[in-house]
Amino acid sequence: MSLQVYTLHEGSYSVDITKKFVPFDSAKDNPKDRPASLFIHVQPFLVKVKDTLVLFDTGLGYSNAQGQLHLHENIKKAGFKPEDISMVLMSHLHFDHSGGMVHHLNDKMELSFPDATYVIQRGEWETAFTSTSSSYHTEIFDFLQRNAQLKFVEGSGQLTPENQLRTDGCTLSISPSIFN
């Protein structure tokens, strides 16, 4: 069984109460200049199992100067094409994990992975729409609801005939059978 895991580093950021993600380079930026900030590394994961490409979370969804998603660039650097992603598994829907589910280009929103199935915990989906937290960007979820292949999961169960899925709060995991 062939299993390959790729870290798709989207960058390091500071984020404060405003929930704005500001790029942070520890070689030149001083954390003391950003009081009351949390410092994070945004790193979705790409997993190749047999002939299937699964993306775990989608990061912030930021683009380069040419309008290309950093996430797509990183998938290409790993040797794959973004259109080959067949499943996007979301751990939860805070913006730093879900922003890359869509791509904003020329004031237009489109799916980042139009042929993929987006797997989301039902409870997290409902929380995203009912929460007043600015961590959730509901315009993304509205767009997904109208345009994406969505699969909602609850608790433990079968994701596919071969793979069990477990959810617990904000944790989403696949049983070891995916690796057999």
Side-chain angles (χ1 to χ4, degrees):
M1 155 54 64
S2 174
L3 169 73
Q4 298 167 309
V5 179
Y6 302 87
T7 302
L8 306 174
H9 184 71
E10 192 176 11
S12 298
Y13 300 86
S14 68
V15 60
D16 62 16
I17 196 162
T18 66
K19 303 286 184 176
K20 291 182 183 168
F21 291 83
V22 180
F24 183 82
D25 181 348
S26 61
K28 64 177 183 153
D29 296 324
N30 186 344
K32 292 180 180 178
D33 294 337
R34 300 183 190 186
S37 289
L38 176 67
F39 297 89
I40 64 167
H41 303 288
V42 177
Q43 301 186 131
F45 289 91
L46 179 64
V47 178
K48 182 177 187 252
V49 183
K50 297 181 183 175
D51 294 325
T52 302
L53 285 177
V54 180
L55 182 63
F56 286 80
D57 288 340
T58 62
L60 292 162
Y62 289 172
S63 298
N64 65 19
Q66 293 77 37
Q68 298 267 329
L69 274 176
H70 291 301
L71 184 57
H72 283 183
E73 290 177 314
N74 289 333
I75 291 168
K76 290 174 187 174
K77 286 178 191 173
F80 303 100
K81 296 183 282 186
E83 55 269 20
D84 292 338
I85 303 295
S86 60
M87 188 176 297
V88 178
L89 296 178
M90 300 303 301
S91 65
H92 63 286
L93 297 175
H94 287 170
F95 181 68
D96 58 321
H97 292 258
S98 66
M101 291 193 297
V102 296
H103 184 203
H104 299 273
L105 187 60
N106 300 324
D107 295 326
K108 182 181 172 194
M109 189 183 299
E110 56 190 41
L111 292 172
S112 297
F113 305 98
D115 297 325
T117 298
Y118 290 75
V119 180
I120 301 168
Q121 297 173 53
R122 182 173 304 283
E124 178 66 4
W125 182 260
E126 291 168 359
T127 297
F129 280 104
T130 59
S131 175
T132 58
S133 171
S134 59
S135 294
Y136 296 109
H137 290 218
T138 55
E139 70 278 1
I140 292 172
F141 315 135
D142 284 333
F143 187 82
L144 250 66
Q145 194 165 248
R146 291 188 312 276
N147 298 285
Q149 300 172 58
L150 297 174
K151 180 174 179 102
F152 294 105
V153 295
E154 295 182 59
S156 297
Q158 292 294 118
L159 181 61
T160 67
E162 308 84 34
N163 303 313
Q164 275 198 327
L165 181 77
R166 265 187 295 248
T167 62
D168 178 20
C170 284
T171 304
L172 180 113
S173 60
I174 295 181
S175 71
S177 65
I178 193 172
F179 305 115
N180 294 336

